[in-house]
């Protein structure tokens, strides 16, 4: 029988850079006496991320939610935005705060991303944009979505919170759509403790986003628009610069852990790995499985609870669906009958522990627990 872990195994662990290097960088910040307002650390990180993500335009923010909220604001969207119900609450909350109405589109049963084949039927005269999410780092059908947007003159925004560093056919994921948001939260592969960024194609957005994230201040005597305080500070940026140095090493470690999971899970019927991409196509953000209750013999929720009994804390990511929030109950697009694939997915998905410091032996032990939970047809017959 597989043993419980002595210490808790959580779904993720923050990637922490060398503390001595961070301390040295903080000494530079202290010497400068500038802790925020676009200092040397902020500007250096902005330049390095442009190179890493291969983009011409980037704006850094104090967190990803504010980045998306103000990015939508900068695009001056109105009316309705077609999006996915299978995402973190911040995606649709950013729409709420911009007085935009989400129109929920069902998801693809393979990638769990917004189903591009179902978008066009949801477009009305009120539609101004499509907001896709690269779920678990799996890229949306960017070409089909762009073709629809071009046909109907819509903006395309991507929530790339899970997709830092991923590429599609050799092109960075930030090259697609009008704008991509990245989250630099502590749980992400690349983090600035808290933080986020927008990448975009239109150079005219540089100035507008600069104003929006800094109270709308043009100069000491002029306020150009109504903005917020959403600036990334020097402490965040300094930590991020050191994290960026260890990203590739972390990716390599996660690559090995991913293969250990796949090898150990291969023989267990009813478990499907949802995060199969690797190398430059993968963000290595999460390792996620789908549990087919009929084939596995137990529900996802039972597996989740049993893992906790073994001191393993996976995550039902994303649950609940955003379309199930009470304040969307009057929306026709939020009705469960219109979202059958999303309703199915939210009962199956489980994000497993996944971070570079996770020993392969622990992965094998976690998978042994899953193997013991698997109920075969033969064992059911014996019962």
């Amino acid at each position: 029988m597989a043993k419980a872990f002595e210490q808790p195994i959580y779904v993720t662990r923050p990637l922490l850079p060398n503390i001595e290097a961070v301390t040295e960088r903080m000494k530079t910040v202290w010497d400068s006496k500038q802790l925020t307002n676009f200092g040397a650390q902020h500007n250096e990180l902005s330049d390095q991320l442009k190179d890493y993500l291969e983009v011409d335009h980037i704006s850094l923010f104090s967190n990803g939610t504010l980045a998306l909220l103000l990015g939508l604001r900068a695009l001056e969207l109105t009316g309705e935005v077609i999006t996915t119900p299978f995402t973190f609450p911040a995606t649709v909350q950013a729409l709420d705060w911009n007085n935009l109405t989400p129109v929920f589109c069902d998801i693809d049963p393979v990638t769990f991303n917004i189903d591009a084949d179902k978008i066009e039927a949801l477009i009305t005269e009120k539609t101004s944009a499509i907001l896709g999410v690269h779920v678990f780092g799996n890229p949306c059908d960017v070409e089909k979505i762009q073709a629809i947007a071009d046909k109907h003159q819509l903006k395309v925004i991507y929530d790339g919170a899970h997709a830092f560093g991923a590429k599609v056919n050799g092109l960075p994921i930030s090259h697609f759509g009008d704008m991509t948001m990245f989250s630099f939260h502590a749980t992400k592969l690349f983090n600035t403790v808290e933080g986020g960024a927008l990448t975009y194609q239109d150079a005219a957005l540089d100035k507008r986003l600069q104003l929006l994230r800094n109270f709308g201040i043009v100069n000491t005597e002029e306020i150009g628009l109504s903005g917020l305080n959403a600036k990334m500070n020097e402490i965040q940026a300094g930590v991020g610069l050191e994290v960026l140095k260890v990203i590739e090493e972390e990716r390599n470690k996660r690559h090995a852990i991913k293969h250990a999971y796949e090898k150990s899970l291969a023989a267990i019927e009813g478990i499907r790995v949802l995060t199969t991409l690797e190398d430059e196509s993968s963000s290595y953000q999460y390792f996620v499985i789908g549990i087919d209750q009929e084939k596995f013999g137990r529900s996802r929720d039972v597996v989740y609870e049993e893992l906790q009994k073994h001191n393993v804390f996976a995550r039902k990511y994303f649950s609940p669906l955003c379309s199930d929030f009470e304040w969307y109950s009057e929306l026709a697009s939020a009705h469960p009958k219109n979202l059958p694939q999303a309703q199915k997915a939210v009962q199956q998905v489980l994000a497993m522990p996944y971070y570079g410091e996770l020993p392969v032996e622990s992965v094998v032990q976690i998978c042994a627990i899953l193997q013991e939970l698997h109920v075969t047809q033969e064992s059911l017959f014996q019962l």
Side-chain angles (χ1 to χ4, degrees):
M1 179 177 291
K3 295 181 180 179
F5 287 90
E6 292 184 5
Q7 299 296 323
I9 304 292
Y10 295 108
V11 69
T12 191
R13 182 180 290 179
L15 177 57
L16 298 175
N18 180 277
I19 186 62
E20 286 79 15
V22 172
T23 300
E24 285 301 310
R25 191 171 286 277
M26 290 304 105
K27 288 179 181 178
T28 301
V29 174
W30 258 241
D31 290 342
S32 74
K33 304 297 188 295
Q34 183 173 4
L35 299 183
T36 188
N37 284 20
F38 316 113
Q41 304 298 316
H42 171 280
N43 295 338
E44 183 180 351
L45 181 60
S46 181
D47 289 340
Q48 289 198 21
L49 287 175
K50 280 184 181 180
D51 291 338
Y52 191 92
L53 298 172
E54 301 178 41
V55 296
D56 294 325
H57 305 286
I58 190 169
S59 292
L60 306 184
F61 293 82
S62 55
N63 61 64
T65 301
L66 284 174
L68 183 57
L69 189 154
L70 293 178
L72 295 169
R73 181 81 166 187
L75 292 172
E76 300 181 307
L77 303 179
T78 60
E80 299 175 346
V81 174
I82 297 172
T83 192
T84 172
F86 192 69
T87 183
F88 191 69
T91 307
V92 293
Q93 286 168 345
L95 295 174
D96 290 344
W97 281 79
N98 277 283
N99 293 317
L100 297 167
T101 301
V103 175
F104 294 108
C105 178
D106 205 9
I107 63 174
D108 180 272
V110 176
T111 66
F112 287 10
N113 290 326
I114 189 170
D115 190 338
D117 290 331
K118 295 180 179 177
I119 291 175
E120 199 159 15
L122 298 173
I123 296 173
T124 71
E125 69 279 358
K126 297 180 181 179
T127 307
S128 61
I130 301 166
L131 173 55
V133 179
H134 302 304
V135 175
F136 310 136
N138 291 329
C140 293
D141 191 338
V142 291
E143 293 183 357
K144 186 170 289 186
I145 289 174
Q146 192 60 56
I148 294 169
D150 290 344
K151 177 180 177 181
H152 296 275
Q153 297 182 312
L154 304 176
K155 296 291 186 182
V156 177
I157 305 97
Y158 287 112
D159 181 333
H162 295 178
F164 182 84
K167 293 186 177 182
V168 179
N169 298 324
L171 290 175
I173 206 152
S174 51
H175 282 215
F176 302 95
D178 296 280
M179 180 178 286
T180 299
M181 181 277 290
F182 294 101
S183 170
F184 302 153
H185 185 267
T187 58
K188 301 300 185 287
L189 175 73
F190 172 72
N191 78 85
T192 58
V193 183
E194 286 273 9
L198 294 173
T199 60
Y200 40 93
Q201 318 302 330
D202 186 359
L205 291 174
D206 282 331
K207 182 62 175 179
R208 185 164 178 80
L209 287 168
Q210 176 80 356
L211 295 174
L212 283 169
R213 62 184 167 159
N214 190 33
F215 308 101
I217 296 172
V218 177
N219 54 53
T220 56
E221 297 180 351
E222 182 182 357
I223 307 298
L225 49 75
S226 179
L228 296 174
N229 182 11
K231 305 181 296 294
M232 177 179 286
N233 64 52
E234 290 293 271
I235 309 300
Q236 291 174 302
V239 172
L241 283 163
E242 296 303 322
V243 172
L244 201 57
K245 293 178 181 179
V246 295
I247 284 288
E248 292 311 309
E249 179 183 359
E250 178 72 7
R251 285 173 58 85
N252 291 335
K253 289 179 179 178
R254 294 191 184 197
H255 178 88
I257 293 166
K258 173 180 178 291
H259 279 220
Y261 265 122
E262 290 173 337
K263 181 179 179 180
S264 297
L265 293 173
I268 306 178
E269 186 181 15
I271 290 182
R272 176 168 72 96
V273 176
L274 302 177
T275 45
T276 59
L277 297 176
E278 53 186 46
D279 300 327
E280 70 170 14
S281 297
S282 177
S283 64
Y284 290 102
Q285 175 59 54
Y286 293 110
F287 185 87
V288 184
I289 60 175
I291 299 174
D292 184 324
Q293 180 175 350
E294 183 176 342
K295 294 180 179 178
F296 186 74
R298 300 182 194 271
S299 70
R300 186 278 314 276
D301 287 353
V302 168
V303 173
Y304 172 79
E305 292 167 1
E306 290 296 324
L307 285 172
Q308 289 193 346
K309 293 177 183 178
H310 288 78
N311 232 358
V312 177
F313 295 86
R315 185 174 179 186
K316 295 186 282 188
Y317 213 34
F318 304 98
S319 180
L321 292 176
C322 292
S323 53
D324 288 338
F325 296 168
E326 180 181 352
W327 48 96
Y328 296 137
S329 60
E330 299 301 318
L331 295 178
S333 68
H335 197 285
K337 70 178 182 181
N338 294 321
L339 305 167
Q341 295 299 333
Q343 291 289 336
K344 183 178 179 180
V346 79
Q347 300 298 325
Q348 294 184 338
V349 168
L350 199 60
M352 303 301 293
Y354 190 56
Y355 47 88
E357 293 181 330
L358 182 66
V360 169
E361 294 78 12
S362 296
V363 171
V364 174
Q365 186 174 341
I366 291 168
C367 293
I369 298 169
L370 292 173
Q371 180 67 70
E372 289 184 357
L373 291 172
H374 175 43
V375 180
T376 65
Q377 291 300 314
E378 290 80 6
S379 61
L380 282 172
F381 181 77
Q382 293 172 0
L383 292 173

